[in-house]
Amino acid sequence: QVNLGNSISQRVNRTGSIYAPQDGKGPYPAVAENAHEIMNPNGWNHIRVQCQGKEITVTLNGREVVNYATDNLPLRGPIGIQVHSNLDMEIKFRNTRILEKG
């Protein structure tokens, strides 16, 4: 899972961070430490998530913020967008693309 916005439990911006508690390295085994400096809090942001084999690379507004490898990443699976209920938040998407490279 790649987060957009604040972590509910940690109450800090975790945009671009990997949430993967099943890896046994804590809930966020790869944290985008500088995301708050890169993102535009009042405008559009561009996030790119690239999964290649067992590696995930996250780019935020043209800057790589996370590169994470794990043996627990399935080679195939669903893509989803989740918003937690009962929170005062809004998120909008535009120009969303999913590309599969052979």
Side-chain angles (χ1 to χ4, degrees):
Q1 172 180 313
V2 176
N3 269 30
L4 299 173
N6 290 344
S7 160
I8 295 170
S9 61
Q10 296 183 350
R11 292 179 169 70
V12 294
N13 189 330
R14 288 288 181 237
T15 296
S17 299
I18 305 293
Y19 178 78
Q22 73 278 7
D23 278 2
K25 300 174 188 172
Y28 290 95
V31 174
E33 299 288 352
N34 58 345
H36 66 283
E37 299 168 3
I38 298 169
M39 69 183 297
N40 178 0
N42 299 313
W44 289 105
N45 292 279
H46 180 265
I47 190 162
R48 178 180 181 178
V49 179
Q50 182 176 343
C51 299
Q52 193 166 8
K54 300 285 185 173
E55 186 175 334
I56 302 169
T57 303
V58 181
T59 305
L60 179 61
N61 293 331
R63 293 178 52 191
E64 185 176 301
V65 292
V66 164
N67 187 287
Y68 180 67
T70 177
D71 289 331
N72 292 327
L73 183 66
L75 295 177
R76 300 188 67 81
I79 296 173
I81 297 173
Q82 171 184 326
V83 177
H84 292 281
S85 62
N86 299 322
L87 296 177
D88 183 22
M89 66 183 294
E90 178 182 45
I91 188 165
K92 296 178 182 180
F93 295 90
R94 68 177 185 175
N95 302 326
T96 303
R97 295 183 291 169
I98 299 171
L99 305 173
E100 183 175 357
K101 294 185 179 181

